[in-house]
Amino acid sequence: MDTLTVILLILSLIGNAVLTWFLVARRPTVQVPGPPQYIQVPGPEVVREIPGPVQYVEVPGPEVVREIPGPVQYVEVPGPEVVREVPVPGPERIVPVEVTREVEVPARSGPRFGAGPFPVAVPSAFPIGRDVAPDTVVDGVDLGHLHVRAGSQRGGRNRLDQRYRRDAFLTRIVPEFPRQTLLSAVAAGNPLGAWSHSAADVLVNSLATQVGAFAEPLAYALWEAHSPDTVSELLRSALRGTTGGLERLGHLRQAAPGDVSADLLAALSPLGQSHSETRRQLVFGTGSGTALLLRDGVWSEQLALGGRAAWTAERALPDGLDLRWQPVDTQPGDLLVLCTGATAELLGRPDVGAYLAETWRVGAPDLTAFLNDLGVQAHGADTDRTLVCLWERG
């Protein structure tokens, strides 16, 4: 064998070796799109870890979880539910858990008068009907030396019969008067009327409009000229003007005349007196309301529209225009109360009247206490209660 042949053989062996090495080094690999998670290789299960944001590595067979540092709260492992807690750096937080249980709270028990049974203190059902009125309403304001409290509450009989409260009240400053003047009013609708509360509410609001229309001549006749005839004429005109609102309500509701009738008692109280000055207030109305004065712990009637007679549509507006009015001079420490006929009967009872006289003679209570006084329980007193109280600060 010559030298050239040997050289060619050696070069052939070297070339085969280089080709074999090149083919092995260029063997293709499996590419996984996105951030590499893991690579599967046929045969016995082998996992080749790839650098990158790997969260965990799954290995077939018994479930194994590899923990990775980072803000991991817990790791779920398939199979029986197991939660492995991982501590998270930071201050411990203790969350209070409120544990409540039902307890029976006894009802508040104020004074009771009579042998019972007593009207229910809280209704057990909503009223049935098309009229709209809340069960109880209370209001109040301190106007200098005149402290005002007012409230209206559905009676026990109406609560049991699921009927609406039929009364309404109003306390409002009438801006048309030359001197700032408060108008207070209570109204009681037909006890069996389908729209009794609406009628009473329309009546007191219509009165505010009508009194405002006659404010200047009424103020002059009452507090300057002292002309009784002129006062009567102006008040009658104002009451006559309120009937239009009741008639419109009846037409809108297609109601019978008796369903939209109500009686009315009101007072005009000038404001701005000094502490020691006597305040002359004008009380007027038609129907069955009563104005009471509490002075030195003693009640006295100032104006009784219908006496103790039952409510009748003939004496109520819009048909009844039997106007009555009376000026009332109040002094520091006095209390003037406007109340519906049924409420006047309650205050006229010796037990209830004595209790409220003792309670109210010291001055105007706060609204919560006044509401409690309004709901005083008395045997047989199951009608609506509505009143406006005007305290002269002593």
Side-chain angles (χ1 to χ4, degrees):
M1 180 179 298
D2 56 10
T3 304
L4 179 60
T5 303
V6 173
I7 293 172
L8 291 175
L9 180 60
I10 293 172
L11 292 175
S12 176
L13 292 174
I14 292 173
N16 288 335
V18 172
L19 179 61
T20 301
W21 174 84
F22 180 78
L23 292 176
V24 172
R26 295 288 293 178
R27 184 176 59 183
T29 59
V30 179
Q31 295 183 353
V32 180
Q37 302 299 318
Y38 57 84
I39 299 175
Q40 296 183 348
V41 181
E45 300 295 334
V46 178
V47 176
R48 180 178 179 184
E49 297 183 357
I50 306 297
V54 182
Q55 297 303 316
Y56 59 87
V57 179
E58 295 183 357
V59 180
E63 299 295 334
V64 178
V65 176
R66 179 178 178 184
E67 298 180 77
I68 306 297
V72 181
Q73 298 302 318
Y74 59 86
V75 180
E76 295 184 0
V77 179
E81 296 295 332
V82 177
V83 177
R84 180 174 181 180
E85 299 181 352
V86 179
V88 179
E92 293 187 358
R93 295 180 59 193
I94 301 176
V95 180
V97 178
E98 183 179 358
V99 180
T100 61
R101 61 188 180 91
E102 294 185 357
V103 296
E104 184 177 353
V105 179
R108 294 181 180 179
S109 57
R112 295 186 173 187
F113 302 99
F118 299 99
V120 294
V122 178
S124 58
F126 285 109
I128 298 175
R130 297 173 61 193
D131 207 352
V132 178
D135 180 88
T136 303
V137 180
V138 66
D139 197 8
V141 63
D142 292 344
L143 300 172
H145 298 292
L146 186 66
H147 294 181
V148 184
R149 304 290 184 267
S152 182
Q153 186 174 78
R154 185 160 55 127
R157 174 51 55 190
N158 282 341
R159 286 173 171 174
L160 292 175
D161 294 342
Q162 292 183 263
R163 291 176 176 167
Y164 282 101
R165 174 171 52 88
R166 67 187 180 97
D167 294 352
F169 69 84
L170 176 139
T171 53
R172 180 182 301 175
I173 299 294
V174 183
E176 291 86 354
F177 276 90
R179 179 180 181 180
Q180 194 175 37
T181 300
L182 172 70
L183 171 66
S184 307
V186 296
N190 186 342
L192 302 178
W195 300 99
S196 297
H197 174 76
S198 292
D201 188 62
V202 166
L203 182 56
V204 294
N205 283 279
S206 296
L207 178 66
T209 301
Q210 295 300 319
V211 167
F214 297 97
E216 290 192 11
L218 186 57
Y220 178 78
L222 180 62
W223 292 302
E224 295 186 30
H226 305 287
S227 174
D229 293 338
T230 304
V231 172
S232 295
E233 181 181 351
L234 293 172
L235 291 177
R236 194 176 301 277
S237 298
L239 290 181
R240 190 178 293 110
T242 63
T243 62
L246 296 175
E247 292 170 355
R248 286 190 295 272
L249 174 65
H251 178 74
L252 178 64
R253 302 302 184 187
Q254 298 181 348
D259 287 343
V260 291
S261 56
D263 55 25
L264 176 71
L265 178 67
L268 289 171
S269 307
L271 304 178
Q273 271 87 351
S274 65
H275 175 67
S276 61
E277 189 177 354
T278 298
R279 190 190 313 271
R280 168 154 288 195
Q281 306 184 59
L282 175 65
V283 180
F284 63 97
T286 180
S288 59
T290 299
L292 301 173
L293 181 68
L294 179 64
R295 176 175 292 170
D296 298 328
V298 179
W299 292 106
S300 62
E301 279 189 357
Q302 300 299 303
L303 180 64
L305 298 178
R308 302 299 181 191
W311 190 96
T312 63
E314 290 75 17
R315 293 202 313 271
L317 293 166
D319 296 330
L321 278 173
D322 183 19
L323 170 68
R324 297 184 184 181
W325 63 276
Q326 177 68 41
V328 179
D329 294 329
T330 53
Q331 304 170 1
D334 288 352
L335 166 62
L336 178 64
V337 181
L338 309 179
C339 48
T340 60
T343 310
E345 292 183 12
L346 175 65
L347 269 64
R349 290 178 45 156
D351 48 5
V352 177
Y355 166 74
L356 292 178
E358 184 65 25
T359 302
W360 288 347
R361 67 180 300 176
V362 297
D366 60 37
L367 293 183
T368 303
F370 180 74
L371 177 60
N372 189 54
D373 296 337
L374 179 65
V376 61
Q377 294 195 344
H379 172 61
D382 55 1
T383 56
D384 292 350
R385 305 171 180 185
T386 301
L387 48 75
V388 175
C389 297
L390 305 172
W391 270 273
E392 297 284 355
R393 193 177 71 180

